[in-house]
Amino acid sequence: MESNTQTSYRTHTCGELRSQDRDSIVTLTGWVHRRRDLGMLIFVDLRDRFGLTQITFNPELHPDVHELARELRHEFVIRVTGRVVLREGTNVNRSVSTGEIEVVAMSLEILSRAKTPPFAINDERLLLEEDLRLEYRYLDLRRPAMQQALVFRHQLAQLVRTFFTDYQFVEVETPVLMKSTPEGARDYLVPSRIHPGKFYALPQSPQIYKQLLMVSGLDRYFQIVKCFRDEDLRADRQPEFTQVDVEMASVDREDVLRVVEQLMARIFHVLMSEEIALPLPRLTYEEAMNMYGSDKPDVRFDLKIQYIDDLVKHSGFQIFRDVLQTATGAVGAIRVDGQAAAFSRKKTDALTDYVKTFGAKGLAIIKMEGDGPVSSLSKFLDAGALRSIAERTGLRPGDALLIVADHRRVVQNSLGALRLRIAEDLELIDERKSALLWIVDFPLLDWDEEERRYVAMHHPFTSPVDADLPLMETEPAKVRAKAYDLVMNGSELGGGSIRIHNKDVQNKMFDVLKLSEEERQSKFGFLLRAFEYGVPPHGGIALGFDRLAALLLGRKSIRDVIAFPKTNSAVSLMDQAPSAVDERQLRELHIRIA
């Protein structure tokens, strides 16, 4: 039967041949992965995207072919025709799919010679400097682990498309050149040659377009779409990224969450051979911050934050008393089971410096020994107070308790970061485990101290919780949003919300954001006009496709699942983008470099 990968250059791929192909005459092409010259015999592992096949060059059978094989080096591209023979006994290689056979070469053609690569393509264990990998990305992508990541990404995309098609969604492509509506991160701007002085923006999200599709009656939309944000970057951020964008009409929050849960269940079942229990656990934003100090908590380990405000409010420790005299003060602690010995003076000093980077002023520690709690706080807290703290927090001999006192958000942020650091240092995280949950009931608004106004925590079209509508005019900070985030292993996979479809509520939102009528019309006029012609209740979500692929594969950075990513400074080391452009191009765009 003819292989569906057969071309004029090959009959089979390097991962295709099996014992049932013995005595077949085959032609293979690929890169020289390894070469072993044993004097009489030369062995080459030939590699392509599909796998490895061992090629044997025997001078007794084909001396001219064997002589040419002496010239072969790593990464030469060759074409080999030969006979498939079985490998016997200890010669069988169980670590590769083609390990039961080898191809005895009858002819050899060197299609392309190669320089010595800057790093070894055939050493998967090699921990390479990332900048070197990105500079020679086309070589990095030859490595099987990188090719497997891109193949997995392809499989994930196909599964997503099949799933949403099964659920009656329509895939619609939205514009890449759009109007700039700077309410979130910075836009990437594209100057117009035809309209001097005017600019398009690259989409941070198709948000407005997908809402317009609901107005248009499409009912269910999805898209695997490129988005762009000109923001400071981290390991899980890129200036251009891919998201699974979803919008549904005539839905409430439960409808959206249910569809996304079914998607995740199918992904885990098909691609990971795992079953996840539905419905997924949920925490409100306040619960997540109170217990884990994060709105994207990693719940694969415990180390929850506990509060001891009432036990130390009237203690002899001035710092605790001063903190708790403020309305926003709190004293929080995390218990580390059986690890008291790990917190030496040097380690504690290092962790103290660490929490200070999150605004905390210091870190106290209580260790539980056989005869009771021991701490430097014993100079300020009597034995009864220490015992009460130990009882409240469940301290047992060998446990340690780490304490921070400050404004409540500082306590949460610092202890939230500390619990992650301790879990990594003490290897408390089961990397084989996947933990998904929803975070719901986010605040609708954030206070921007610099601009002295409220800004939307998500975007200005996020619907407030119905019960909180009266607070929009009196206590905006207390208004909850019909917003939700999907979290996996301490990373935000995606976020969404039910949108505002009522004109009066939308105007209230704009009022709180202090957007003038002119700003409303200039930024969102076309959307507001569309809403005057009948709009159903609608909502959706955007899932980070790059991040999902990285988490499923256990990769630390999304750059490992993107073919040609940028660095943390938004530079492509391979082709040196961004780069200067010709002066003529700038003149055509009516631009002059200042």
Side-chain angles (χ1 to χ4, degrees):
M1 179 177 175
E2 185 178 290
S3 168
N4 58 9
T5 56
Q6 181 173 342
T7 72
S8 56
Y9 273 89
R10 70 185 183 202
T11 60
H12 297 78
T13 70
C14 293
E16 193 173 352
L17 297 172
R18 298 293 187 272
S19 58
Q20 57 265 33
D21 296 301
R22 65 180 176 181
D23 296 329
S24 299
I25 304 300
V26 300
T27 300
L28 306 177
T29 62
W31 285 265
V32 174
H33 192 63
R34 291 185 184 88
R35 176 182 176 274
R36 303 180 298 284
D37 191 339
L38 304 184
M40 285 295 290
L41 296 178
I42 294 175
F43 296 97
V44 164
D45 287 339
L46 192 63
R47 183 194 75 240
D48 62 13
R49 192 256 284 184
F50 302 94
L52 296 170
T53 296
Q54 179 170 289
I55 312 296
T56 302
F57 296 90
N58 189 329
E60 295 182 354
L61 298 177
H62 301 282
D64 54 333
V65 176
H66 179 271
E67 187 61 29
L68 182 58
R70 290 185 180 277
E71 300 180 23
L72 299 180
R73 295 295 181 268
H74 288 160
E75 300 308 302
F76 276 30
V77 180
I78 64 174
R79 182 187 189 194
V80 176
T81 297
R83 183 181 301 277
V84 179
V85 300
L86 295 181
R87 297 163 74 173
E88 298 179 352
T90 58
N91 290 326
V92 174
N93 184 355
R94 302 293 180 190
S95 65
V96 295
S97 60
T98 59
E100 293 182 335
I101 61 94
E102 63 184 359
V103 174
V104 178
M106 300 161 56
S107 69
L108 168 64
E109 181 181 359
I110 298 176
L111 299 174
S112 178
R113 297 174 184 267
K115 292 170 59 176
T116 300
F119 49 83
I121 307 296
N122 61 11
D123 189 352
E124 283 298 301
R125 300 166 301 171
L126 193 62
L127 296 176
L128 296 173
E129 178 188 350
E130 188 176 48
D131 282 0
L132 184 64
R133 291 174 56 199
L134 294 179
E135 182 179 356
Y136 295 93
R137 188 61 161 186
Y138 42 85
L139 296 180
D140 190 38
L141 290 177
R142 288 185 188 176
R143 301 166 76 195
M146 292 302 299
Q147 294 193 343
Q148 289 161 11
L150 294 187
V151 170
F152 181 88
R153 183 185 173 106
H154 159 75
Q155 293 168 341
L156 179 60
Q158 297 306 307
L159 188 151
V160 167
R161 285 194 166 93
T162 301
F163 173 87
F164 282 114
T165 301
D166 289 346
Y167 275 68
Q168 302 299 311
F169 284 75
V170 178
E171 184 170 12
V172 181
E173 295 177 74
T174 52
V176 174
L177 297 176
M178 62 175 289
K179 180 181 178 65
S180 177
T181 55
E183 273 294 309
R186 296 184 193 90
D187 285 332
Y188 277 102
L189 299 177
V190 180
S192 170
R193 178 183 61 83
I194 299 172
H195 303 282
K198 295 186 177 180
F199 296 80
Y200 301 102
L202 300 181
Q204 296 185 32
S205 161
Q207 181 63 44
I208 292 178
Y209 292 114
K210 67 180 182 178
Q211 290 191 249
L212 288 171
L213 289 171
M214 297 304 100
V215 176
S216 303
L218 262 290
D219 191 79
R220 292 187 162 202
Y221 142 94
F222 87 99
Q223 184 181 188
I224 299 177
V225 60
K226 278 277 189 164
C227 299
F228 307 83
R229 290 179 189 170
D230 188 5
E231 60 184 350
D232 296 331
L233 306 177
R234 300 193 297 271
D236 59 348
R237 296 280 177 91
Q238 284 280 292
E240 55 177 306
F241 57 95
T242 304
Q243 68 184 34
V244 180
D245 206 51
V246 179
E247 198 76 7
M248 306 163 64
S250 304
V251 293
D252 61 15
R253 184 182 75 180
E254 298 307 309
D255 298 313
V256 179
L257 268 53
R258 186 166 53 250
V259 168
V260 175
E261 288 181 349
Q262 292 295 330
L263 169 65
M264 296 307 298
R266 186 179 295 188
I267 288 171
F268 271 84
H269 174 73
V270 175
L271 296 182
M272 309 302 292
S273 299
E274 293 180 33
E275 305 302 325
I276 58 175
L278 300 181
L280 296 177
R282 297 185 191 182
L283 290 174
T284 67
Y285 172 82
E286 283 301 325
E287 287 172 337
M289 294 302 296
N290 283 332
M291 286 194 289
Y292 298 102
S294 172
D295 61 1
K296 49 182 180 181
D298 192 335
V299 297
R300 290 175 295 175
F301 60 97
D302 196 12
L303 300 185
K304 293 187 183 74
I305 301 173
Q306 303 182 66
Y307 297 90
I308 55 173
D309 303 15
D310 57 315
L311 301 181
V312 298
K313 189 172 186 178
H314 303 293
S315 71
F317 193 27
Q318 186 71 37
I319 292 176
F320 287 172
R321 291 205 312 272
D322 289 349
V323 162
L324 294 173
Q325 282 177 2
T326 66
T328 59
V331 181
I334 54 177
R335 185 189 76 235
V336 186
D337 295 346
Q339 297 284 351
F343 295 96
S344 63
R345 177 65 181 272
K346 182 179 179 181
K347 178 69 172 178
T348 304
D349 288 345
L351 294 178
T352 300
D353 291 340
Y354 181 67
V355 296
K356 285 181 178 178
T357 64
F358 296 90
K361 297 178 181 65
L363 179 70
I365 185 168
I366 297 175
K367 296 182 181 181
M368 193 67 165
E369 298 184 352
D371 52 357
V374 177
S375 173
S376 59
L377 292 176
S378 58
K379 293 181 288 186
F380 310 103
L381 302 177
D382 59 36
L386 286 174
R387 279 196 304 272
S388 297
I389 294 171
E391 290 172 4
R392 166 74 61 82
T393 57
L395 275 184
R396 295 170 298 186
D399 293 351
L401 191 72
L402 306 177
I403 304 171
V404 170
D406 214 300
H407 294 292
R408 192 173 191 84
R409 283 296 187 240
V410 172
V411 168
Q412 292 169 345
N413 291 337
S414 56
L415 288 180
L418 185 63
R419 71 180 289 271
L420 285 173
R421 166 115 176 222
I422 290 171
E424 291 170 356
D425 289 351
L426 300 180
E427 298 182 347
L428 303 179
I429 305 173
D430 185 352
E431 299 290 352
R432 300 165 300 176
K433 185 178 178 182
S434 296
L436 294 106
L437 74 155
W438 290 106
I439 307 297
V440 299
D441 290 344
F442 281 84
L444 182 69
L445 303 160
D446 264 337
W447 177 255
D448 188 313
E449 192 62 45
E450 186 177 329
E451 296 191 22
R452 305 298 299 169
R453 71 178 182 96
Y454 285 106
V455 295
M457 179 173 269
H458 288 77
H459 55 68
F461 311 108
T462 300
S463 178
V465 170
D466 296 341
D468 293 350
L469 272 173
L471 300 175
M472 292 282 285
E473 297 174 3
T474 57
E475 297 180 276
K478 292 185 177 181
V479 179
R480 294 166 296 165
K482 292 182 181 178
Y484 32 83
D485 278 2
L486 181 61
V487 175
M488 178 178 169
N489 300 349
S491 291
E492 178 198 332
L493 267 187
S497 67
I498 299 302
R499 325 302 186 188
I500 298 171
H501 69 280
N502 180 289
K503 184 178 180 180
D504 293 337
V505 175
Q506 187 65 71
N507 280 324
K508 278 188 180 180
M509 182 67 163
F510 287 150
D511 289 343
V512 174
L513 299 177
K514 293 186 176 178
L515 288 181
S516 67
E517 185 60 35
E518 182 181 354
E519 287 178 301
R520 299 175 198 193
Q521 292 302 321
S522 66
K523 293 178 178 178
F524 311 115
F526 63 99
L527 178 67
L528 299 177
R529 282 193 298 276
F531 277 20
E532 292 175 354
Y533 292 93
V535 53
H538 59 287
I541 195 168
L543 300 170
F545 186 77
D546 311 299
R547 195 172 301 172
L548 175 58
L551 285 170
L552 292 173
L553 286 172
R555 303 296 174 93
K556 296 297 183 184
S557 167
I558 62 171
R559 288 190 286 273
D560 281 343
V561 296
I562 298 173
F564 300 103
K566 307 291 190 295
T567 66
N568 276 351
S569 55
V571 170
S572 172
L573 296 177
M574 185 185 68
D575 56 4
Q576 295 300 307
S579 58
V581 297
D582 189 271
E583 183 66 32
R584 178 180 56 81
Q585 292 176 275
L586 294 177
R587 285 197 303 270
E588 288 178 342
L589 295 170
H590 317 284
I591 288 176
R592 184 171 62 235
I593 303 298

